[in-house]
Amino acid sequence: GNSVTQMEGPVTLSEEAFLTINCTYTATGYPSLFWYVQYPGEGLQLLLKATKADDKGSNKGFEATYRKETTSFHLEKGSVQVSDSAVYFCALTAGGTSYGKLTFGQGTILTVHP
Amino acid sequence: EPEVTQTPSHQVTQMGQEVILRCVPISNHLYFYWYRQILGQKVEFLVSFYNNEISEKSEIFDDQFSVERPDGSNFTLKIRSTKLEDSAMYFCASGSGRAVGELFFGEGSRLTVL
């Protein structure tokens, strides 16, 4: 079956530090890959996505590249802000009839200090 | 900005009681989902609903669970006879169907079964 593994958290950084959150996956076929973010008191929201190998998703300064050879989709940001403090979820879906059936990683709590 | 809303935000119930969790998806969306997250575990798919019927369900979604869209706006999850292990955060999500995996999540309903 499909599975997603994220790096252990929580992650604590100072403002303007570089962020990497590792994500690897196991899937049959050619999944689409996602990063969702959950800010305090809010629902999960889509941060970025990539639908095929070597695609790079980007949004709000965050980036992730779909690496088929390493089955990875690591999230990066060059300079984090306090407002980036949230829980980050890596996810995949097989598409087709499973259009919205997402398989999530365990989530990584990010705290950014001023 | 349109959003998915869920009620109640927190419900405490006794084992064996029936619980109904309610969701108002985004109004022009066609696909509806329930996910849950047991404390300390991954967010996991429960069920998807399209065109007034279940399109896919997980192994977790047994006969104790049911979903319906009673009035064209609400989307409900019913647990007939709650067990201790049903304690979790339940997330409702909706999607337009135009982009694989792009869902809009509510803030969640926390269910505590005593």
Side-chain angles (χ1 to χ4, degrees):
Chain A
N2 299 331
S3 69
V4 177
T5 302
Q6 287 180 235
M7 67 184 286
E8 294 291 326
V11 174
T12 302
L13 295 173
S14 297
E15 205 164 26
E16 299 183 2
F18 184 84
L19 169 71
T20 300
I21 301 178
N22 289 340
C23 172
T24 57
Y25 67 89
T26 302
T28 53
Y30 301 95
S32 295
L33 303 175
F34 307 85
W35 279 98
Y36 274 80
V37 59
Q38 185 180 26
Y39 299 104
E42 300 184 13
L44 283 76
Q45 54 188 269
L46 180 65
L47 179 60
L48 54 82
K49 72 172 191 178
T51 58
K52 61 183 188 295
D54 301 324
D55 267 2
K56 178 187 283 188
S58 61
N59 186 24
K60 299 182 182 180
F62 291 89
E63 293 183 339
T65 301
Y66 188 144
R67 301 284 188 204
K68 190 169 184 295
E69 64 276 13
T70 54
T71 61
S72 65
F73 193 56
H74 304 321
L75 182 69
E76 296 182 336
K77 186 174 186 183
S79 176
V80 292
Q81 305 300 311
V82 172
S83 56
D84 294 326
S85 297
V87 184
Y88 291 81
F89 296 90
C90 186
L92 66 81
T93 183
T97 56
S98 298
Y99 144 81
K101 182 182 177 183
L102 293 162
T103 299
F104 284 94
Q106 60 265 49
T108 301
I109 300 172
L110 170 66
T111 303
V112 181
H113 292 299
Chain B
E1 185 172 322
E3 59 181 15
V4 175
T5 57
Q6 291 185 238
T7 54
S9 56
H10 188 195
Q11 180 154 0
V12 181
T13 190
Q14 296 292 323
M15 193 168 52
Q17 294 297 303
E18 176 183 283
V19 161
I20 297 176
L21 305 179
R22 292 183 167 78
C23 169
V24 179
I26 293 173
S27 61
N28 61 348
H29 283 180
L30 302 176
Y31 296 80
F32 312 107
Y33 304 84
W34 285 99
Y35 285 78
R36 78 172 185 189
Q37 185 178 30
I38 295 171
L39 190 63
Q41 298 186 23
K42 296 181 179 183
V43 176
E44 50 190 353
F45 169 82
L46 290 179
V47 65
S48 58
F49 190 85
Y50 170 72
N51 201 25
N52 262 338
E53 60 183 23
I54 289 173
S55 46
E56 190 168 3
K57 59 184 181 179
S58 71
E59 292 176 357
I60 304 164
F61 196 89
D62 61 22
D63 291 344
Q64 290 300 309
F65 291 90
S66 62
V67 290
E68 65 174 359
R69 192 159 155 79
D71 55 12
S73 62
N74 290 285
F75 179 52
T76 62
L77 173 69
K78 182 193 289 187
I79 309 174
R80 286 192 184 80
S81 178
T82 49
K83 308 186 202 51
L84 295 177
E85 55 264 35
D86 293 328
S87 295
M89 181 72 89
Y90 288 81
F91 293 104
C92 174
S94 68
S96 64
R98 287 194 291 270
V100 167
E102 290 193 19
L103 302 185
F104 292 75
F105 285 80
E107 293 178 25
S109 293
R110 179 166 297 285
L111 176 65
T112 302
V113 182
L114 302 177

